[in-house]
Amino acid sequence: MQAIYYPGFTIGGFAEIGGIIALAVLLYLTPYPSARFWWTLAALVSLLAEHATYWLVTHPVNNFWVQDTVLPKSAATFFSMFSRKQTGDWRDLRNAWEASHVARAGLAMLSLVSIAVAATFFAE
């Protein structure tokens, strides 16, 4: 499963960067200080925290899971970025991996709700 799952996300995962850039541009174009500005900032900060959670928690565990898997060159390059040796019980790594996905989902939802509030409740 991992040979199929991980290479696809090395490509699709870069879309998160597009979302961060789009929110940063929107924040730049939003008048300061307005309620819409602060809600847009909250959306951007949430998305940045979601992305940071991936690199600080999820990515190191992913490196552990794919260390013995033959991957395409693009996937191998991606997983070699910021790699550090993981040790410990596989259950602890799995729990960290799962918790990081819950945290990322919560942060992504918070970002979505924040930008929706900015776009609807404070429309001028």
Side-chain angles (χ1 to χ4, degrees), residues 4-117:
I4 298 168
Y5 174 76
Y6 286 119
F9 279 95
T10 60
I11 298 165
F14 284 106
E16 288 182 15
I17 295 171
I20 291 169
I21 292 168
L23 274 174
V25 169
L26 182 61
L27 183 65
Y28 177 76
L29 296 173
T30 303
Y32 174 85
S34 64
R36 183 182 282 174
F37 175 87
W38 295 111
W39 281 103
T40 304
L41 178 62
L44 178 59
V45 168
S46 297
L47 204 57
L48 286 168
E50 183 257 348
H51 200 67
T53 301
Y54 173 81
W55 289 106
L56 297 173
V57 183
T58 311
H59 190 74
V61 177
N62 284 345
N63 281 330
F64 175 81
W65 295 131
V66 299
Q67 66 188 357
D68 297 326
T69 304
V70 177
L71 299 170
K73 186 176 180 180
S74 61
T77 301
F78 176 78
F79 285 109
S80 68
M81 293 189 315
F82 310 110
S83 64
R84 60 180 190 255
K85 186 70 174 163
Q86 286 292 339
T87 58
D89 186 61
W90 70 269
R91 288 170 287 223
D92 295 334
L93 293 172
R94 179 202 58 208
N95 290 341
W97 187 86
E98 289 178 353
S100 73
H101 279 75
V102 170
R104 292 185 74 223
L107 289 164
M109 181 60 73
L110 183 60
S111 179
L112 176 64
V113 168
S114 297
I115 199 62
V117 167

